[in-house]
Amino acid sequence: MLADATKEELFCLYYKQWISVYKEGAIRAVTMSKYRLTQSWIERLAPDLKVGEISRVMYQKLLNDYAAHHERQTTMDFHHQLKGAILDAVDEGLIDRDPTRKAIIKGKTPRRKKPKYLNQFELHKLLTSLRLGPLLSWDWAILLIAKTGIRFSEAMAVTPDDFDFPRQTLSIDKTWNYKEQGGFTPTKNRSSVRKIQMDWQLIIQFSELVKDIPRNEPIFATKRVFNSTANHCLARRCAEAGVPVITIHGLRHTHASLLLFAGVSIASVARRLGHASMTTTQKTYLHIIQELENQDIDLVMRSLSGLM
């Protein structure tokens, strides 16, 4: 256990025990898998590194070796996941000084980024290409996500009871554990529990689609579902519509982007998306917000120039 750790202990073993003590049961499974992946990289890059040997130079070398295989942002995540364990080792007297101080984060040149969202014209072309038959399908899931901005896991957990047709709202209060064996799980955070206003056309469509489905059963996850299956279906529809291929999560970005460009406040967009704070929204859509600010500056300048 950590209480018995010494300076001579291998860092990869110390880190494994640290994860078990401080992270197991305290974080989501998907986050835990990232810590486990970091652990495997330590075992690969520095299998013989002892806790007491971790100096600034040794730590920087570990980061550099990792950065040789990864982009800068991924290396930054690796650094953050290591730092917690290392600072605890410093507190325990296993390492003399903080070796993570002033660490330089490097990384491979980023690959060309695929488009993350569609503009309004492209989204219209995509939605008109969907094959919306009388039965629920991936096409209907694509439409629902595009018009509400909900996460894939949230969409898979939607039941008929979640719709309030008279009030035109959709309640999001759970997710679907599609990465494992299915089943309802809690939302990502407390802010993710929300009611989303829906347009009347979508309300009419889904009121007909879900009328014969048991009230508390998921409308899409009638068998095991995979994010990759949804992405493949969306890719086909994008190709058929002649628009850039995006992912299911890209529909959420598209939804948020269209709202921001339409002038909806960041606070309202954050609530609709279920973000924990407006800061998350601002960071995620900084490029759009900056573009809107440039438009605002042009508007201000035109207004002021007309005063003389």
Side-chain angles (χ1 to χ4, degrees):
M1 291 298 292
L2 286 176
D4 303 320
T6 68
K7 291 186 176 184
E8 296 300 309
E9 182 166 0
L10 292 176
F11 178 58
C12 58
L13 295 179
Y14 175 86
Y15 188 75
K16 181 179 181 180
Q17 292 169 352
W18 182 84
I19 292 173
S20 177
V21 171
Y22 290 105
K23 298 299 177 182
E24 212 163 72
I27 55 179
R28 291 162 62 92
V30 64
T31 308
M32 189 65 181
S33 67
K34 294 177 183 177
Y35 277 91
R36 295 293 187 202
L37 184 59
T38 294
Q39 174 195 330
S40 68
W41 272 100
I42 298 171
E43 294 169 352
R44 174 178 171 181
L45 298 174
D48 301 319
L49 178 63
K50 297 177 181 178
V51 175
E53 294 175 340
I54 305 178
S55 62
R56 284 186 62 193
V57 172
M58 289 297 295
Y59 183 70
Q60 187 65 58
K61 182 180 183 305
L62 177 58
L63 288 183
N64 292 349
D65 290 345
Y66 183 84
H69 303 274
H70 301 86
E71 294 182 12
R72 187 178 184 278
Q73 183 56 55
T74 310
T75 306
M76 179 68 80
D77 295 339
F78 180 74
H79 164 61
H80 284 154
Q81 290 178 354
L82 286 179
K83 189 172 181 177
I86 289 176
L87 291 182
D88 280 349
V90 173
D91 289 344
E92 294 297 325
L94 302 177
I95 302 175
D96 295 334
R97 297 174 185 165
D98 177 11
T100 69
R101 181 173 170 270
K102 293 186 177 180
I104 306 300
I105 309 301
K106 304 176 185 179
K108 292 166 56 177
T109 302
R111 293 170 294 177
R112 186 182 177 189
K113 302 295 184 183
K114 295 180 180 179
K116 288 188 175 181
Y117 65 92
L118 305 177
N119 61 36
Q120 187 169 357
F121 174 70
E122 291 167 339
L123 180 62
H124 176 73
K125 288 184 68 178
L126 170 64
L127 297 187
T128 54
S129 76
L130 295 179
R131 301 172 186 178
L132 303 174
L135 300 177
L136 285 161
S137 62
W138 283 121
D139 291 72
W140 282 110
I142 289 169
L143 180 67
L144 183 65
I145 294 172
K147 285 199 166 189
T148 60
I150 59 179
R151 301 175 177 92
F152 177 75
S153 60
E154 294 171 342
M156 294 303 99
V158 169
T159 68
D161 266 346
D162 293 326
F163 292 96
D164 186 336
F165 295 116
R167 291 184 173 83
Q168 294 187 210
T169 62
L170 173 63
S171 293
I172 301 297
D173 57 10
K174 57 192 173 300
T175 62
W176 189 256
N177 189 15
Y178 68 91
K179 291 185 178 180
E180 296 180 19
Q181 297 301 317
F184 294 115
T185 54
T187 55
K188 186 174 184 180
N189 51 56
R190 201 180 308 171
S191 302
S192 295
V193 177
R194 62 204 188 276
K195 291 184 184 295
I196 299 175
Q197 204 71 32
M198 299 170 62
D199 67 82
W200 64 267
Q201 187 178 26
L202 199 60
I203 283 291
I204 292 173
Q205 290 169 320
F206 273 86
S207 64
E208 185 65 25
L209 288 164
V210 306
K211 65 181 182 180
D212 296 323
I213 298 176
R215 304 305 303 170
N216 59 352
E217 291 187 11
I219 64 176
F220 294 116
T222 54
K223 56 184 179 180
R224 187 162 187 195
V225 293
F226 298 91
N227 185 266
S228 58
T229 307
N231 281 330
H232 288 152
C233 178
L234 177 56
R236 290 195 300 272
R237 297 294 177 264
C238 286
E240 291 165 3
V243 301
V245 174
I246 62 170
T247 63
I248 285 289
H249 196 69
L251 291 174
R252 179 171 161 86
H253 288 315
T254 298
H255 183 82
S257 302
L258 293 183
L259 294 182
L260 290 170
F261 278 122
V264 178
S265 70
I266 295 175
S268 295
V269 174
R271 282 195 298 272
R272 189 169 176 88
L273 295 181
H275 282 164
S277 70
M278 284 191 292
T279 303
T280 304
T281 314
Q282 290 169 324
K283 286 182 179 178
T284 306
Y285 302 102
L286 180 63
H287 59 294
I288 296 173
I289 293 168
Q290 289 174 336
E291 188 173 339
L292 292 171
E293 286 176 347
N294 291 335
Q295 293 178 9
D296 288 343
I297 291 171
D298 292 340
L299 180 60
V300 169
M301 292 301 100
R302 285 200 302 271
S303 301
L304 292 176
S305 63
L307 294 177
M308 293 295 290

